[in-house]
Amino acid sequence: MVTPGAECKDRATPQQVSEYTLKLLQCRIPPAVPGIMFLSGGQSEVEATLNLNAMNQSPNPWHVSFSYARALQNTCLKTWGGRPENVKAAQDALLLRAKSNSLAQLGKYTGDGESEEAKKELFVKGYVY
């Protein structure tokens, strides 16, 4: 995805990331390519999900999605922490991330059900949530 550098103070909106990313892909990737799978590195799970969602709200010739590593795992692993008593909470976190990313690849993600921590992160980064 075309995003500002990690040290850039000006954050791009999901719509801006979508516009620049799709513009680049349209210039370089033939429409016959069936899909574009992104890595979500350098972005939070929710930020990457919002960016993917924005791309899928615009018409494009490819199936645009994730390779689903960080966009699914980070919160789950932190929640689990290797403790048996946290397994259920980690499974719930995984289910939420899977549902969120499933909706984002359809362009239908709204952020409903996200944790308060995730919503706070988006607010701090200047996203309207």
Side-chain angles (χ1 to χ4, degrees), residues 41-111:
Q43 303 174 68
S44 72
E45 294 165 328
V46 176
E47 187 178 9
T49 303
L50 285 166
N51 291 336
L52 178 67
N53 185 66
M55 281 187 273
N56 282 306
Q57 290 178 337
S58 301
N60 62 71
W62 315 281
H63 175 77
V64 181
S65 190
F66 286 132
S67 64
Y68 293 106
R70 185 173 301 176
L72 286 176
Q73 299 171 0
N74 198 40
T75 297
C76 304
L77 292 172
K78 284 182 181 178
T79 301
W80 173 52
R83 295 188 202 116
E85 64 270 18
N86 294 342
V87 168
K88 173 69 170 116
Q91 289 172 336
D92 291 344
L94 176 62
L95 182 59
L96 174 63
R97 296 277 19 105
K99 285 180 179 178
S100 296
N101 286 293
S102 176
L103 289 169
Q105 72 168 339
L106 298 172
K108 296 180 180 183
Y109 173 70
T110 63

